Amino acid sequence: DAGVIQSPRHEVTEMGQEVTLRCKPISGHNSLFWYRQTMMRGLELLIYFNNNVPIDDSGMPEDRFSAKMPNASFSTLKIQPSEPRDSAVYFCASILQGAYNEQFFGPGTRLTVL
Amino acid sequence: AQSVTQLDSQVPVFEEAPVELRCNYSSSVSVYLFWYVQYPNQGLQLLLKYLSGSTLVKGINGFEAEFNKSQTSFHLRKPSVHISDTAEYFCALSIQGAQKLVFGQGTRLTINP
């Protein structure tokens, strides 16, 4: 298996632009998580899905952030409009529900907002 | 609520020396415990996990951890480190039956030659 796939790996954009991050979970996994990692705040859970349904979005910082999972093999995290404080590494992780919560992480997307 | 505290933000050691990375947790219910490793510019990778049973858990790359319920700790150890162990290490827990992981702030392990 190719593991969790994220794209792009790096994104540089200007303040005010829309940013879309993409994630393909491991085939057969039915839960997906989006995290943000910064030096100041460490690793934060933004939102997670079970069977394509958002379960907990309490970590989404504000309305500028939105996430979707239209099917079992694809999810997006969108920031509109982006701000410099959104600069971070965004990780996607997936698990097979019931498998003792072992999350498999993607390589991350490094976002820089100028 | 559950929480994880990693007591050291940075740990420098010499190559071939032993190392211990400390992790304490807080929870009123039973938990699963995990250690993840993050190499530079990569995602997190599972090192080992404690689910139940033997309190000494062995993981990849020669790492092991011991679950201590009375001290609510799950410290990670390696008897002899290598330059390639340079990375950030995260302790995490989940409540049994739940899916969310609660992460500690991470410990940066630096190996000096």
Side-chain angles (χ1 to χ4, degrees), chain B residues 28-49:
Chain B
S28 58
V29 297
S30 295
V31 297
Y32 298 139
L33 292 160
F34 306 81
W35 275 99
Y36 281 83
V37 59
Q38 184 180 27
Y39 298 107
N41 300 313
Q42 295 186 29
L44 278 70
Q45 176 184 351
L46 183 68
L47 262 183
L48 49 79
K49 62 189 177 212

Side-chain angles (χ1 to χ4, degrees), chain B residues 3 15 31 33-34 40 45 49-50 60 62 66 75 89 93 106:
Chain B
S3 67
E15 195 173 14
V31 297
L33 292 160
F34 306 81
Q45 176 184 351
K49 62 189 177 212
Y50 172 77
I60 62 171
E66 185 157 18
H75 300 333
Y89 292 79
L93 68 78

Side-chain angles (χ1 to χ4, degrees), chain B:
Chain B
Q2 292 72 40
S3 67
V4 176
T5 302
Q6 292 184 241
L7 297 158
D8 306 295
S9 59
Q10 296 187 63
V11 173
V13 296
F14 287 106
E15 195 173 14
E16 298 183 6
V19 70
E20 177 180 82
L21 306 184
R22 297 179 294 168
C23 172
N24 285 94
Y25 69 93
S26 173
S27 176
S28 58
V29 297
S30 295
V31 297
Y32 298 139
L33 292 160
F34 306 81
W35 275 99
Y36 281 83
V37 59
Q38 184 180 27
Y39 298 107
N41 300 313
Q42 295 186 29
L44 278 70
Q45 176 184 351
L46 183 68
L47 262 183
L48 49 79
K49 62 189 177 212
Y50 172 77
L51 306 177
S52 64
S54 173
T55 57
L56 185 63
V57 180
K58 293 189 183 299
I60 62 171
N61 301 338
F63 284 93
E64 63 181 31
E66 185 157 18
F67 170 62
N68 188 318
K69 189 173 182 179
S70 63
Q71 297 187 6
T72 60
S73 68
F74 190 55
H75 300 333
L76 181 70
R77 301 186 184 100
K78 186 170 182 178
S80 176
V81 295
H82 189 265
I83 291 283
S84 60
D85 293 322
T86 296
E88 185 136 22
Y89 292 79
F90 293 91
C91 183
L93 68 78
S94 68
I95 300 172
Q96 293 181 15
Q99 295 173 289
K100 288 170 60 171
L101 285 175
V102 176
F103 283 92
Q105 284 295 98
T107 297
R108 186 171 300 277
L109 178 62
T110 305
I111 312 299
N112 298 307

Side-chain angles (χ1 to χ4, degrees), chain A residues 35-100:
Chain A
Y35 292 90
R36 178 172 69 176
Q37 186 179 37
T38 61
M39 290 291 291
M40 292 296 295
R41 301 173 70 93
L43 200 60
E44 304 172 274
L45 176 65
L46 300 178
I47 185 171
Y48 79 95
F49 297 83
N50 277 354
N51 297 315
N52 314 336
V53 175
I55 300 300
D56 183 352
D57 65 355
S58 59
M60 295 286 262
E62 47 197 278
D63 292 346
R64 297 184 297 105
F65 285 69
S66 62
K68 294 182 179 180
M69 191 163 186
N71 57 61
S73 59
F74 183 66
S75 177
T76 59
L77 178 68
K78 186 176 293 187
I79 309 172
Q80 165 65 15
S82 58
E83 296 183 4
R85 60 194 167 118
D86 301 330
S87 297
V89 181
Y90 291 81
F91 289 103
C92 175
S94 69
I95 66 171
L96 177 62
Q97 219 171 339
Y100 303 114

